Amino acid sequence: MPSAAPSSTPITTSLLLALLTTTLLTRLTSTAHLLPLLLDPHLISSHIPSDVDYDHTGKPGYSTTDPASRQLWRLLTYTLAYPTTTEVLFGSLALWNLRVIERLWGSRKILSFLLQITPLAGLVPPLVMICLRAASPSLMAESLNYIPAGPTALVFALLAQYHAAVPYAWRYRSEGVGTSEGEEVGSEEAAWITSKSTSYLLPAQLALSQLPGSAVVALCGWCIGYAWRLGLVWPGTGWRVPVSLMGR
């Protein structure tokens, strides 16, 4: 039986330590407020101001709708750490539970997977949010402006692999909830509980932590994970990092 020690899953353990380290650094340097991503004004401008504000010297002041004031660098940093203790806890525990993927695949395959989907996990959620924001009524658009910080998309891409590749050890069929005595419950009305069910609870907390942005990010991560399984992510499921990169 594969070992559950951290030494048997070096890539997942390194990912977990990196998350904890970057989160700690943002706390020590008081930069946690720079982690979340706002579509407007960090990436896009929803309107062009008709006039420019001036400061007390008579010079043009700062305008959040000015393209020069955008903070595109946040696309590279918003996935590095979680801003709150609760999200750090749930995210760390979720990654630790998902180390079973590395035990199943091996370190080389999971590193290849992470290198392929990490750029997509950072870029796809903002693009999807921009499209949803553009298609939503003005009152709803404000709630679709905020993208929570943290590697939630990465966690859900791994969770998609766990869902597809790891079989359950047992399952239990729950029947009779909300039915009268003597009434038979069809298979479509029964709830199945498996040995894997509890593994979805921690990621679910991340998806529901800061709605609706957190749910959109989680859904994007899940879709990216399954797109990789279908071979839709370049360079494909058969690509592997060079053996020399693994130190072997």
Side-chain angles (χ1 to χ4, degrees):
M1 185 176 185
S3 172
S7 59
S8 66
T9 55
I11 303 301
T12 309
T13 301
S14 299
L15 183 63
L16 175 58
L17 291 176
L19 172 61
L20 295 175
T21 301
T22 52
T23 301
L24 178 61
L25 287 175
T26 58
R27 295 296 183 86
L28 293 177
T29 57
S30 300
T31 54
H33 65 282
L34 296 176
L35 291 174
L37 182 64
L38 297 175
L39 298 182
D40 183 9
H42 296 155
L43 301 183
I44 61 175
S45 297
S46 59
H47 66 279
I48 303 298
S50 57
D51 55 351
V52 180
D53 294 331
Y54 291 82
D55 60 19
H56 66 281
T57 63
K59 297 179 180 180
Y62 176 81
S63 174
T64 58
T65 56
D66 183 4
S69 69
R70 295 174 187 168
Q71 300 177 16
L72 299 180
W73 53 266
R74 291 195 186 227
L75 282 172
L76 302 176
T77 60
Y78 85 96
T79 61
L80 296 179
Y82 283 112
T84 68
T85 305
T86 303
E87 289 173 313
V88 173
L89 176 63
F90 289 136
S92 300
L93 291 176
L95 283 175
W96 181 249
N97 287 338
L98 292 172
R99 73 192 187 281
V100 67
I101 300 297
E102 184 173 357
R103 292 165 56 192
L104 180 66
W105 285 356
S107 298
R108 188 183 179 198
K109 182 175 180 179
I110 197 171
L111 179 59
S112 305
F113 167 75
L114 291 174
L115 290 177
Q116 290 180 69
I117 60 101
T118 296
L120 295 176
L123 294 175
V124 171
L127 291 176
V128 171
M129 288 282 282
I130 289 174
C131 293
L132 290 175
R133 194 170 186 267
S136 301
S138 57
L139 292 178
M140 226 176 155
E142 284 301 318
S143 63
L144 294 171
N145 192 50
Y146 180 82
I147 301 180
T152 300
L154 193 63
V155 170
F156 272 82
L158 283 168
L159 188 65
Q161 312 313 309
Y162 175 83
H163 177 266
V166 178
Y168 55 80
W170 53 263
R171 66 175 182 172
Y172 172 75
R173 181 178 176 182
S174 175
E175 297 183 357
V177 178
T179 61
S180 59
E181 186 177 354
E183 180 182 353
E184 293 186 1
V185 180
S187 58
E188 68 279 359
E189 299 178 8
W192 288 98
I193 300 175
T194 72
S195 56
K196 297 169 57 177
S197 297
T198 56
S199 299
Y200 299 101
L201 295 179
L202 292 172
Q205 294 291 330
L206 294 174
L208 300 175
S209 60
Q210 300 187 58
L211 295 171
S214 57
V216 172
V217 172
L219 181 59
C220 288
W222 184 275
C223 293
I224 291 170
Y226 263 93
W228 179 86
R229 292 191 67 85
L230 295 174
L232 301 179
V233 176
W234 183 86
T237 56
W239 178 80
R240 298 291 183 271
V241 296
V243 177
S244 58
L245 199 63
M246 304 299 299
R248 299 174 184 173

